[in-house]
Amino acid sequence: MNFTEAREAFRKGDLPRLELAITQIGSHPLAVYAENYRLRNLLAKNDASGIPAFLDANEGTYVAEKLRADWLRWLVKESHWGTAQREAAKLLAPDTELTCLAQQASLNQGDNSVLTDAESLWLSVASLPDTCQPVLDALVAQGRADVDKVWARARLQIELNRPQAARRTLDYLPANRVSELAAFDQSYKSAMAYLARQPANWSATRGGRELTAIALRYVAANDPRTAAAELEKRLPQLGEDAAAWAWSQIALQAARKHLPEAYGYYQHAANTWLSEENHQWKVRSALRQQAWAEVRKAILAMPPALAERPEWLYWLGRAEKAGGRSEEAHKLFARIAGQANFYGNLAAEELGRQITPPPSPRPLSSAELQAARDNPGLQRALAFFRLDLRTEAVREWNWALRGMNDRQLLAAARLAEENKLWDRAINTAERTQHEHDYQLRFLAPYADQIRPAARQQALDDAWVYGLMRQESRFIGNARSSVGASGLMQLMPATAKWVARKIGLRDYNPSQVNDTDTNVLLGTSYMRMVMDDLDQHPVLASAAYNAGPGRARRWRAERPLEGAIYAETIPFSETRDYVKKVMSNAVYYSIYFNNRPDSLKNRLGTVAPAVPGGTRAADLP
């Protein structure tokens, strides 16, 4: 196949072979990619002469966007600032790297107005690509990032455990301040030793106080209580500002570890600036204690954009309800009720409504479906899928959806369904704003294999589908970055362990992507996890993603409603996963059983750990 030949020649930098393949490729949907490969090979040889004509002919396409990005990188490297500035303005969806390249070009053209935009990066993005460094340098050189702002950025990077990034930020301190940072590495690598060996005059300088606060943050990562005790010893010398920040870091670590003292630590932090992550954990620490007045106070203190997220509107509504302010609570619930997500569903139930999918849209016309089939971007994506080049296919597909209205999105989703691209059908259907097709959003392929396997294990098939939808979007050969495989994303060691436990003879790791084998192993493991964790689907969902040991440790010392357990899971990936699995299960249950379902009932109450309770000790 000549496109495959062209792609291979490009990867090897074999321009003559690539040009020969292009002459033979004809009108293939991916011919434009082959020409793009040729131009990129030439650009590597410092020949950009053919790029403008290609961009003009293919303006608005994904391949043109990516070639323009490559050209912009070359233009900046070669200091062609005027052309770089002009071409950067034509990018349709620049990421942070490209935005900083555009800002570099503008600065070199004498346009310093871009520094206003650059200022927003200072505290919003903790780790920036190298292309942003000249922009940050200009920001500091022009006095827009003083000593306080330098320390503020370094603190954020330390909170996110990026000490080397913080050290680079601290290079912006004036020369007379840098000597204070000689012990920076020790302050985070050997935090307790650093605190134990501090010189008597450690508090005399800003750097000494800040390094002490950094060390306390790293002690807190292992033991927040010890960190709090060490901070108490140093309160008079540390100073109000550094002490408040140190308390906020101890509080964050304590909240993630579900320590009851966490909210008290936050009180000590007073009005110090909190990152968005820290604001959210302040609420979670109060939620964990079911201290509704504190939940309300912490949400009202959030930045407005953060407080408007569905989760915090819901929990603010719950706090208002707990405080007897029912009218305010109902208004908050009404703002998100009906959204097809965890908190939209819970809000609807708080208002006494049943969770129901919206009415099916009017059928797509043959003209609408044909328009999707004729869409050049979708055609290119399908061509990539046929070549099993999924990464390129997904990027091209998603780009083609830009600007589509609801009807066009539904037609594209149907096209994906026709081609058994279940993940694209689901993700595309989820983009609609006003006209929705929930049967596309909650597709249930492989029913002849999955539902009988669920029944065999006495599992709720709606929950199995809800979990599988989140795990793989029904991509049979899906493989995660950590090596999980197949519809149910089984890790090799887990698959082997389950196969042995259920007596699956002659099991070979190569079988893990076989649909029947993957579903058998996955549902068997789900059954084992359910048996190990109180038959509770919230705990079992958390265990499937993060491991049974963690799911057990995350329980409280008293009964905890399932929604609070889910919201206070320390891992953001697992927290999001559990919410989506449980919400997915509701919709699958509605379609499978043709009757309403309740998310609140599914979440139930998570019982506290029973000392000495039985569990499968070797469950992976």
Side-chain angles (χ1 to χ4, degrees):
M1 193 281 178
N2 289 316
F3 174 75
T4 304
E5 180 76 9
R7 185 171 183 269
E8 186 61 22
F10 163 69
R11 293 174 67 180
K12 291 183 176 180
D14 188 342
L15 189 58
R17 180 181 165 196
L18 172 56
E19 290 178 333
L20 176 62
I22 289 172
T23 65
Q24 300 172 348
I25 206 166
S27 59
H28 191 277
L30 299 179
V32 67
Y33 270 88
E35 177 60 15
N36 159 69
Y37 295 155
R38 187 181 75 85
L39 293 171
R40 287 168 65 188
N41 269 169
L42 290 170
L43 185 63
K45 302 176 187 297
N46 292 322
D47 180 359
S49 58
I51 291 178
F54 179 91
L55 296 179
D56 286 343
N58 296 282
E59 198 65 61
T61 64
Y62 179 74
V63 68
E65 180 82 355
K66 302 317 288 180
L67 182 58
R68 178 169 273 123
D70 287 338
W71 189 25
L72 176 60
R73 294 183 186 97
W74 181 85
L75 289 167
V76 169
K77 185 183 73 170
E78 298 297 321
S79 302
H80 297 314
W81 303 117
T83 307
Q85 186 180 34
R86 184 185 69 243
E87 293 304 318
K90 296 177 184 177
L91 288 167
L92 299 176
D95 58 15
T96 302
E97 179 212 2
L98 297 174
T99 297
C100 285
L101 285 173
Q103 290 171 341
Q104 278 191 54
S106 294
L107 287 169
N108 280 281
Q109 288 293 98
D111 180 7
N112 290 334
S113 66
V114 296
L115 292 179
T116 301
D117 294 331
E119 283 181 296
S120 67
L121 292 176
W122 188 261
L123 276 182
S124 62
V125 184
S127 183
L128 293 166
D130 291 342
T131 59
C132 295
Q133 203 62 49
V135 182
L136 299 183
D137 292 346
L139 204 63
V140 174
Q142 296 206 11
R144 297 198 185 200
D146 59 13
V147 169
D148 288 340
K149 287 184 177 179
V150 169
W151 277 112
R153 179 168 172 76
R155 285 177 174 183
L156 176 62
Q157 291 166 323
I158 288 294
E159 178 179 308
L160 296 175
N161 195 25
R162 293 174 178 167
Q164 292 308 309
R167 188 64 186 83
R168 287 193 294 273
T169 295
L170 294 175
D171 286 339
Y172 286 124
L173 288 173
N176 63 338
R177 306 287 184 93
V178 173
S179 61
E180 303 169 4
L181 301 178
F184 177 82
D185 283 354
Q186 189 185 12
S187 72
Y188 74 89
K189 289 181 178 178
S190 306
M192 275 302 292
Y194 175 85
L195 293 175
R197 298 169 188 165
Q198 282 180 297
N201 66 341
W202 66 266
S203 62
T205 65
R206 171 79 179 266
R209 296 189 295 272
E210 293 285 353
L211 293 190
T212 298
I214 289 170
L216 290 166
R217 174 257 182 259
Y218 278 95
V219 172
N222 293 318
D223 187 347
R225 290 174 175 136
T226 295
E230 292 293 326
L231 175 52
E232 292 279 4
K233 296 177 189 175
R234 295 166 172 79
L235 275 177
Q237 302 142 288
L238 196 55
E240 185 177 337
D241 177 61
W245 180 75
W247 278 122
S248 78
Q249 298 307 297
I250 295 171
L252 176 59
Q253 299 297 330
R256 286 172 171 161
K257 295 178 186 299
H258 298 151
L259 298 185
E261 299 96 327
Y263 200 83
Y265 296 154
Y266 275 117
Q267 299 302 99
H268 290 315
N271 295 320
T272 194
W273 181 87
L274 299 180
S275 67
E276 285 196 356
E277 180 75 356
N278 216 340
H279 269 293
Q280 293 175 97
W281 275 105
K282 186 175 183 180
V283 179
R284 293 182 187 122
S285 69
L287 266 179
R288 193 81 179 181
Q289 302 304 312
Q290 298 175 53
W292 293 107
E294 303 301 335
V295 168
R296 179 177 185 270
K297 188 186 303 182
I299 295 173
L300 291 176
M302 284 179 164
L306 179 60
E308 287 292 308
R309 292 183 188 173
E311 57 266 43
W312 307 125
L313 289 173
Y314 173 78
W315 288 117
L316 181 58
R318 287 287 304 277
E320 299 288 19
K321 182 178 177 180
R325 294 174 290 276
S326 297
E327 185 176 348
E328 290 87 342
H330 284 191
K331 288 178 181 177
L332 289 162
F333 295 140
R335 290 177 60 187
I336 57 174
Q339 294 180 11
N341 57 46
F342 187 81
Y343 285 111
N345 292 337
L346 287 177
E349 292 197 71
E350 288 290 338
L351 295 171
R353 303 175 191 170
Q354 291 182 328
I355 301 170
T356 55
S360 296
R362 59 186 169 84
L364 292 160
S365 68
S366 57
E368 288 173 317
L369 291 168
Q370 190 59 46
R373 296 186 189 106
D374 292 341
N375 182 289
L378 298 181
Q379 287 183 344
R380 287 191 289 271
L382 291 175
F384 275 129
F385 276 119
R386 286 191 289 270
L387 293 171
D388 199 26
L389 297 173
R390 170 165 282 277
T391 298
E392 294 90 336
V394 169
R395 289 172 179 168
E396 186 69 56
W397 183 279
N398 290 343
W399 187 266
L401 301 182
R402 297 171 72 255
M404 284 190 180
N405 61 33
D406 284 356
R407 300 293 296 177
Q408 292 169 320
L409 288 168
L410 291 174
R414 284 294 176 198
L415 177 64
E417 183 189 29
E418 287 175 7
N419 287 273
K420 297 185 178 181
L421 300 171
W422 315 118
D423 63 313
R424 291 304 93 205
I426 291 168
N427 289 16
T428 303
E430 283 187 326
R431 291 174 179 246
T432 58
Q433 298 297 309
H434 306 291
E435 193 170 354
H436 309 300
D437 188 336
Y438 275 40
Q439 290 192 337
L440 276 172
R441 291 189 182 197
F442 296 95
L443 286 169
Y446 307 106
D448 292 342
Q449 292 139 301
I450 295 170
R451 297 187 72 180
R455 287 194 295 270
Q456 181 68 28
Q457 297 295 337
L459 295 171
D460 171 22
D461 54 1
W463 176 53
V464 173
Y465 262 99
L467 184 143
M468 195 179 298
R469 180 184 188 270
Q470 198 57 35
E471 282 289 346
S472 68
R473 283 291 198 267
F474 309 111
I475 302 170
N477 61 352
R479 188 172 178 83
S480 76
S481 59
V482 295
S485 296
L487 291 173
M488 302 199 71
Q489 289 292 277
L490 293 165
M491 293 294 290
T494 302
K496 183 178 179 180
W497 183 89
V498 175
R500 186 176 71 250
K501 282 290 183 180
I502 65 175
L504 186 61
R505 295 182 179 181
D506 302 321
Y507 171 73
N508 186 292
S510 64
Q511 296 173 270
V512 74
N513 281 337
D514 171 74
T515 299
D516 289 328
T517 303
N518 191 274
V519 170
L520 170 63
L521 295 174
T523 53
S524 297
Y525 183 66
M526 290 176 78
R527 178 72 269 161
M528 295 173 190
V529 170
M530 282 285 278
D531 290 342
D532 188 49
L533 290 163
D534 305 338
Q535 306 298 325
H536 202 302
V538 172
L539 288 171
S541 298
Y544 198 94
N545 182 263
R550 292 190 179 101
R552 281 189 290 270
R553 289 197 298 274
W554 294 336
R555 290 182 291 194
E557 295 178 355
R558 56 181 174 175
L560 199 64
E561 65 175 277
I564 294 178
Y565 176 94
E567 184 54 56
T568 58
I569 289 172
F571 298 168
S572 58
E573 177 191 319
T574 306
R575 184 167 60 247
D576 181 65
Y577 174 90
V578 170
K579 293 182 206 176
K580 287 179 176 173
V581 167
M582 298 307 297
S583 185
N584 291 346
V586 171
Y587 289 105
Y588 280 115
S589 176
I590 292 169
Y591 284 122
F592 290 170
N593 302 310
N594 199 29
R595 63 173 184 267
D597 196 9
S598 167
L599 179 57
K600 290 185 75 171
N601 289 346
R602 282 182 173 272
L603 294 171
T605 300
V606 174
V610 178
T614 59
R615 65 182 181 88
D618 61 345
L619 195 65

